[in-house]
């Protein structure tokens, strides 16, 4: 038998009534026991809102300490990614040298407004989400403030680390100093993304490997870059699958969306 604690995921729109979810869930959808087979069969049908089966996830404590999580995330979404990615992909396709590729990308990205960059997870959180968390009975305001302070210190340390240790950071002469760490992470992720590497000339890829190998091997830098790169590649795949690339021939993959 399995205890069902909450089946209200698809019954309320969080944005319309976040403060009422907890109270209404326990009253309208009480906990109850069901056989495992019944639960399994209930997960199989496709949901009309997502066109996917309900599915499940398993949560467990890690058997060994996890590596430090990335502090920065990509600031882009599936609808905005194709048009933002297109000019960057064009540069990768047309660049004839490592130097021209880096300088052109840095010039495009030096003003982050309207362009994809990366940001801290806390800064990227929606205000309504933070407001709801603060009202939760299990939310400890003191612990939350402490965690926030430690997180901000971690971000500050990360900025200093990139300034002192990243080869690309030191190369970016045209990048906006205020956003230089974010731009560095974004560019390293971009240059190591599968689709971008497929577009580049062999000599350009060799230049990247030669000049930036130390950055991509550094564990602290690698943690941030791989996190953003995975998000980039996921957005690229989603854009291809949804057919929303913004130019013939595909901004997200050479043969996509033609």
């Amino acid at each position: 038998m399995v205890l069902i604690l909450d089946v209200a995921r698809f019954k309320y729109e969080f944005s319309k009534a976040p403060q009422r979810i907890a109270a209404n869930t326990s009253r309208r959808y009480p906990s109850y026991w069901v056989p495992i087979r019944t639960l399994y069969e209930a997960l199989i049908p496709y949901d009309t809102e997502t066109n996917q089966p309900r599915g499940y996830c398993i949560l467990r404590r890690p058997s060994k300490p996890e590596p430090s999580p990335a502090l920065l995330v990509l600031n882009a979404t599936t609808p905005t990614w194709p048009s933002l990615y297109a000019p960057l992909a064009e540069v990768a396709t047309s660049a004839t040298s490592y130097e021209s590729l880096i300088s052109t990308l840095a010039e495009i990205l030096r003003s982050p407004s309207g362009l994809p960059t990366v940001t801290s997870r806390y800064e990227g959180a929606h205000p309504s989400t933070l407001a709801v968390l603060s009202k939760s009975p299990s939310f400890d305001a003191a612990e939350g403030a402490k965690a926030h302070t430690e997180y901000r210190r971690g971000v500050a340390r990360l900025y200093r680390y990139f300034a002192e240790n990243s080869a690309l950071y030191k190369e970016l002469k045209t990048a906006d100093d205020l956003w230089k760490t974010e731009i560095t992470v974004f560019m390293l992720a971009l240059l190591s993304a599968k689709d971008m590497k497929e577009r580049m000339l062999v000599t350009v890829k060799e230049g990247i490997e030669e000049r930036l190998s130390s950055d991509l091997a550094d564990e602290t830098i690698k943690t941030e870059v791989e996190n953003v790169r995975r998000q980039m590649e996921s957005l690229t795949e989603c854009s291809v699958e949804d057919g929303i690339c913004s130019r013939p021939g595909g901004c997200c993959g050479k043969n996509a969306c033609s």
Side-chain angles (χ1 to χ4, degrees), residues 212-231:
L212 302 180
S213 58
S214 61
D215 278 11
L216 298 176
D218 183 290
E219 287 302 319
T220 298
I221 296 174
K222 183 179 178 181
T223 295
E224 300 299 328
V225 172
E226 287 191 344
N227 181 58
V228 173
R229 178 182 56 77
R230 285 193 296 269
Q231 295 173 65

Side-chain angles (χ1 to χ4, degrees), residues 1-2 34-41:
M1 299 289 284
V2 179
V34 298
I36 293 179
R37 176 171 290 278
T38 300
L39 175 62
Y40 174 76
E41 292 174 350

Side-chain angles (χ1 to χ4, degrees), residues 174-203:
T174 59
D176 188 324
D177 286 341
L178 182 64
W179 295 89
K180 201 167 181 181
T181 297
E182 288 85 346
I183 292 172
T184 300
V185 171
F186 181 88
M187 286 181 60
L188 286 170
L190 190 72
L191 296 174
S192 58
K194 180 180 178 181
D195 178 60
M196 292 294 284
K197 290 195 292 186
E198 290 177 350
R199 294 172 180 270
M200 298 175 192
L201 294 175
V202 173
T203 53

Side-chain angles (χ1 to χ4, degrees), residues 36-67:
I36 293 179
R37 176 171 290 278
T38 300
L39 175 62
Y40 174 76
E41 292 174 350
L43 298 175
I44 297 175
Y46 276 60
D47 180 81
T48 55
E49 292 189 25
T50 65
N51 198 33
Q52 296 289 330
R54 296 293 178 103
Y56 66 93
C57 65
I58 298 175
L59 304 179
R60 61 168 61 94
R61 292 182 183 276
S63 57
K64 57 183 179 179
E66 293 290 313

Side-chain angles (χ1 to χ4, degrees), residues 4 20 22 29 46 52 55 68 92 97 146 149 174 177 206 215:
I4 303 297
R20 298 200 301 272
Y29 304 99
Y46 276 60
Q52 296 289 330
S68 299
S97 68
K146 180 180 177 181
T149 299
T174 59
D177 286 341
E206 290 174 348
D215 278 11

Side-chain angles (χ1 to χ4, degrees), residues 3-246:
L3 178 62
I4 303 297
L5 297 175
D6 182 2
V7 293
R9 163 63 180 84
F10 291 86
K11 304 301 181 183
Y12 289 93
E13 291 188 30
F14 183 78
S15 60
K16 293 183 178 179
Q19 70 279 8
R20 298 200 301 272
I21 289 179
N24 288 341
T25 296
S26 61
R27 183 171 64 252
R28 297 191 182 191
Y29 304 99
S31 303
Y32 59 95
W33 292 90
V34 298
I36 293 179
R37 176 171 290 278
T38 300
L39 175 62
Y40 174 76
E41 292 174 350
L43 298 175
I44 297 175
Y46 276 60
D47 180 81
T48 55
E49 292 189 25
T50 65
N51 198 33
Q52 296 289 330
R54 296 293 178 103
Y56 66 93
C57 65
I58 298 175
L59 304 179
R60 61 168 61 94
R61 292 182 183 276
S63 57
K64 57 183 179 179
E66 293 290 313
S68 299
L71 297 174
L72 304 176
V73 296
L74 179 65
N75 184 25
T77 61
T78 302
T80 63
W81 181 243
S83 59
L84 296 170
Y85 183 65
L88 306 175
E90 286 288 354
V91 172
T93 304
S94 59
T96 57
S97 68
Y98 167 84
E99 290 78 11
S100 65
L101 173 62
I102 296 300
S103 61
T104 306
L105 288 177
E107 184 65 29
I108 293 174
L109 295 168
R110 67 187 177 91
S111 177
S113 58
L115 288 170
T117 181
V118 295
T119 184
S120 76
R121 293 177 301 180
Y122 185 86
E123 290 171 345
H126 194 279
S128 64
T129 303
L130 301 176
V132 171
L133 281 175
S134 66
K135 296 177 182 178
S136 170
S138 61
F139 183 80
D140 188 318
E143 287 298 317
K146 180 180 177 181
H148 179 214
T149 299
E150 287 300 315
Y151 179 78
R152 299 301 297 160
R153 288 174 179 169
V155 172
R157 287 194 296 268
L158 182 69
Y159 289 177
R160 291 195 297 270
Y161 190 90
F162 267 81
E164 295 170 1
N165 297 280
S166 170
L168 180 59
Y169 184 101
K170 296 171 183 177
E171 281 189 32
L172 298 180
K173 306 302 182 183
T174 59
D176 188 324
D177 286 341
L178 182 64
W179 295 89
K180 201 167 181 181
T181 297
E182 288 85 346
I183 292 172
T184 300
V185 171
F186 181 88
M187 286 181 60
L188 286 170
L190 190 72
L191 296 174
S192 58
K194 180 180 178 181
D195 178 60
M196 292 294 284
K197 290 195 292 186
E198 290 177 350
R199 294 172 180 270
M200 298 175 192
L201 294 175
V202 173
T203 53
V204 175
K205 286 189 285 187
E206 290 174 348
I208 292 172
E209 184 174 347
E210 178 183 350
R211 303 278 284 273
L212 302 180
S213 58
S214 61
D215 278 11
L216 298 176
D218 183 290
E219 287 302 319
T220 298
I221 296 174
K222 183 179 178 181
T223 295
E224 300 299 328
V225 172
E226 287 191 344
N227 181 58
V228 173
R229 178 182 56 77
R230 285 193 296 269
Q231 295 173 65
M232 283 183 178
E233 292 179 341
S234 178
L235 284 173
T236 300
E237 291 174 5
C238 288
S239 298
V240 170
E241 291 172 359
D242 294 343
I244 57 174
C245 287
S246 60

